[in-house]
Amino acid sequence: AIVKIPSLKYLSLRFNEIGEKGAMLFANHSDFRYLDLAGNHIGIKGTIALAKLPLLTYLNLESNGVSDDGVFALASNNVLTHLYLRNNNIGGQSVTALAKKTNLTDLDLDFNHIGDQGAIALANNTNLRWLYLQNNHIGRTGLAALANNTTLIRLVTDGNDGLKQDGEEIVTTNDVHALKSDIVTSCSDKHPFT
């Protein structure tokens, strides 16, 4: 019934178990601009369907089993500006495809495994302003690449391999102050739109 409301453009149904079939129904409603479907077991097929929405600028698919195949589909979307894919078993190769998108300004990939490959690719994207990469197995090489991106406003990288060695901090906020803005290694105010 929700998808038949013609004026519906913004929808949040976090943790409602809509599943893959529910996502496919939402994908038939081409007027969506904002979808927050965190924790709904959407999976790869549901993600592929949602990636085709022509007006969607904000999409939160946190904890949905998106995986690399879903990210490759999302990389084909040219209108998404805010994308949240926290905790989705995503690796560096698919993130490399996503990093080429010039429309993305806000990206959350916390709790995935993008490693240095994904971090380096993202570091080369000069359109990203907010980037969340906690616990992604990023080493010193990836963190150094991210530190050289001068267009980021917020970068969150705590919990990555390159931050500590033998229990001691090896990369500090002062080390990455090449960013002309707010470098954050931990923060409580996650997303500006949620």
Side-chain angles (χ1 to χ4, degrees):
I2 289 175
V3 294
K4 294 186 180 189
I5 303 171
S7 61
L8 187 62
K9 293 178 180 27
Y10 303 90
L11 181 64
S12 178
L13 285 175
R14 299 172 59 87
F15 302 97
N16 276 282
E17 300 185 24
I18 65 166
E20 180 181 289
K21 289 180 181 177
M24 289 182 178
L25 285 174
F26 290 139
N28 291 325
H29 185 74
S30 61
D31 288 337
F32 279 126
R33 280 146 177 95
Y34 176 108
L35 279 176
D36 186 343
L37 302 175
N40 274 293
H41 310 287
I42 288 171
I44 297 168
K45 289 181 182 176
T47 302
I48 291 170
L50 292 172
K52 296 174 184 172
L53 285 169
L55 302 175
L56 191 65
T57 59
Y58 178 106
L59 181 60
N60 184 349
L61 293 180
E62 173 185 340
S63 302
N64 267 297
V66 170
S67 192
D68 288 322
D69 290 336
V71 173
F72 282 120
L74 290 167
S76 68
N77 182 300
N78 291 318
V79 293
L80 278 171
T81 57
H82 296 77
L83 183 58
Y84 305 99
L85 298 173
R86 172 179 247 224
N87 191 31
N88 272 296
N89 196 31
I90 297 167
Q93 189 174 8
S94 63
V95 170
T96 299
L98 193 62
K100 295 176 184 173
K101 303 309 296 178
T102 58
N103 47 296
L104 283 176
T105 59
D106 194 350
L107 180 61
D108 183 341
L109 293 170
D110 287 347
F111 300 96
N112 285 290
H113 51 92
I114 70 165
D116 284 341
Q117 178 186 12
I120 291 167
L122 291 168
N124 291 321
N125 183 318
T126 58
N127 292 301
L128 285 171
R129 298 298 177 255
W130 295 61
L131 183 56
Y132 300 90
L133 298 174
Q134 294 179 84
N135 297 293
N136 264 288
H137 308 288
I138 301 170
R140 293 181 81 179
T141 303
L143 291 171
L146 290 164
N148 288 321
N149 178 311
T150 58
T151 58
L152 286 170
I153 294 170
R154 173 153 296 175
L155 173 63
V156 182
T157 60
D158 53 319
N160 281 293
D161 303 339
L163 291 173
K164 295 194 182 257
Q165 183 173 342
D166 298 328
E168 298 212 14
E169 190 173 326
I170 58 172
V171 178
T172 67
T173 302
N174 290 333
D175 294 332
V176 292
H177 242 18
L179 294 172
K180 296 178 180 177
S181 57
D182 177 34
I183 301 295
V184 179
T185 55
S186 66
C187 70
S188 59
D189 57 332
K190 280 299 290 174
H191 307 295
F193 299 102
T194 57

